[in-house]
Amino acid sequence: MNRHVSWTPAETTADSGDVIRLADVRRRFGETAALDGVSLGVRRGEILGIIGRSGAGKSTLIRCLNGLERPDGGSIEIEGREITGLGEAALQPLRRRIGMIFQHFNLLSAKTVEENVALPLKIEGWPKAKRLARAAELLELVGLSDKARAYPSALSGGQKQRVGIARALAASPALLLSDEATSALDPETTRSILALLKDINSKLGLTILLITHEMEVVRNIADRVAVIDAGRIVEQGPVWQVFATPKAETTKSLLSGIRPQLPAHIAQTLLSEGPGDVVLSIDIAGPAATGPLFQDLSKAFPGGYRLIHGGVDHIQKQPVGRFFIALPAASTAGLVSFVERLGAQVEVLGHVADHA
Amino acid sequence: MSPIMLELLVRSLWETLVMTAASGLISLVFGLPIGLALVATARGGIAENLAVNRALGAVINGFRSVPFIILLVALIPVTRVIVGTSIGTWAAIVPLAIAATPYYARIAEVSLREVERGLIEAVRAMGGNRWTIIREVLIPEAMPGIVAGFTVTLVTLIGASAMAGAIGAGGLGDLAIRYGYQRFETAVMIAVVAVLIVLVCGIQWLGDRLVARLDHRN
């Protein structure tokens, strides 16, 4: 990949400040509140993932950030500037500071790849030769130099999104908004697009805000995650922490496909009381998870325990472990206090029906 | 066919071509902006204004519901003001253009309305204004439909120009009625129909070729 892409770093008033700051943003559509008091900050240089189910308000939120949607109330500051009161004409130069990529790419079919990439510069009034040179630079960055003269219809989905990314970066924005950018792509293409976004983030220091309904996307590239449900941010924090100890029900349910779960045939037969072994889950993450957990457990409970399911994942280079174990009821209290001393979270899930 | 008849046929062909080309061009120049105005002022359009949209729609529907032969006669005073005379080929261009403009505006409207909203949104997100959207998105993306619609309009105008004989405009249709039908000259009738078929096929073929070259959607 080309490393010579010129970049004008975002000129800002307060460099340490957030690129975006939302305070109590509200938006209703008829009776339903799409955004019900959202407060959120996006820090310079980070990748923030906003995750939620469809209809949770993600799209409305991202569209408020570049003024495509007007909130009913609250405040939105972009690079320290309040945008909620601005008219269409005042928003236009501001939008050039914000690149956006879309689920369905939204490339213009009547323009070639290089004309698509150069369009934001045409809008800014760059002369033709200069903007085509810049487009060539960006196409090299996304690895599509050979497709400059092709029309979008000749490209695959992944290539189209690369063009979308090049176009979004053309005017050297301070912020990149990604609206479900990988949702229409297959898993392999998704990974390559996410890798490209991560690369752009670290090489160019570009702040990225992405919305998605896929935890996998957040897990792969985000630094922080905010979970949105029914128009409210229900949880936010560093990705590894949210993955290790999700608090909101929405977060837990969104994570269920990606974290270890108690196998269904065991979960179904669990009793709330009984003589059988106790099944519990252990969540341990970060520095606490680097110790010899199982060795310690074996020493402390020579009576034995059974590992049912689980494993250690690494998110943002932090170990995130989740295990399901079964052990005799008599040992339970001791084990709970033992692992809690290690900084883990324990949840008693029930008793197995018999000694199966 | 006698040389005189042949000369008549050539002259009629020329008159038809002049009427069709001139009124077609006028309908393009006025119909496309009207189609754009219809799309822009519609609900959710880039310059939403439902009052203007409804008024414009009503005027277009009004013109489109008048039978052409009535329009031809009713517009005689208007034609006299614009062209200076109410008879002849040039005089026929006025009613033909006035009938074709709202017709083409509707065709252009359909093509423009089919441009994906996501594309408009992408250009808005880049900081484009309304003119940018019209210039870079609406017109180029709808171009295949705009050209295909213009082809349809031209062919329709060839048909309509036959009625212009009623105000002495000449043309192929007029020749077919006066010689082929009223004087039972079957050879003239066949010749005229053959020329019309070639003309219509030629225009359609050219239009289709142009659309194929312009269309990069798939």
Side-chain angles (χ1 to χ4, degrees), chain B residues 94-111:
Chain B
V94 174
L96 279 171
I98 287 175
T101 298
Y103 178 78
Y104 183 63
R106 284 295 188 198
I107 295 182
E109 181 197 4
V110 171
S111 303

Side-chain angles (χ1 to χ4, degrees), chain A residues 114-115 118 121-122 125-135:
Chain A
E114 64 180 0
E115 287 167 348
L121 306 173
K122 193 174 181 184
W126 288 37
K128 188 170 183 183
K130 225 178 132 196
R131 59 180 193 249
L132 286 183
R134 172 74 177 159

Side-chain angles (χ1 to χ4, degrees), chain A residues 52-136:
Chain A
R53 300 190 186 93
S54 44
K58 304 183 299 266
S59 292
T60 310
L61 178 59
I62 203 170
R63 289 162 47 83
C64 280
L65 298 181
N66 55 8
L68 291 178
E69 193 77 66
R70 300 299 180 95
D72 303 325
S75 130
I76 301 176
E77 282 180 24
I78 307 282
E79 297 185 296
R81 189 164 169 214
E82 179 64 43
I83 67 158
T84 45
L86 297 180
E88 194 66 17
L91 279 171
Q92 280 155 12
L94 208 101
R95 286 184 184 134
R96 292 169 202 161
R97 306 284 301 136
I98 304 172
M100 191 166 182
I101 55 177
F102 306 86
Q103 179 174 7
H104 297 295
F105 324 125
N106 292 348
L107 301 179
L108 297 167
S109 76
K111 294 188 189 302
T112 61
V113 164
E114 64 180 0
E115 287 167 348
N116 265 285
V117 175
L119 186 56
L121 306 173
K122 193 174 181 184
I123 292 172
E124 277 200 339
W126 288 37
K128 188 170 183 183
K130 225 178 132 196
R131 59 180 193 249
L132 286 183
R134 172 74 177 159

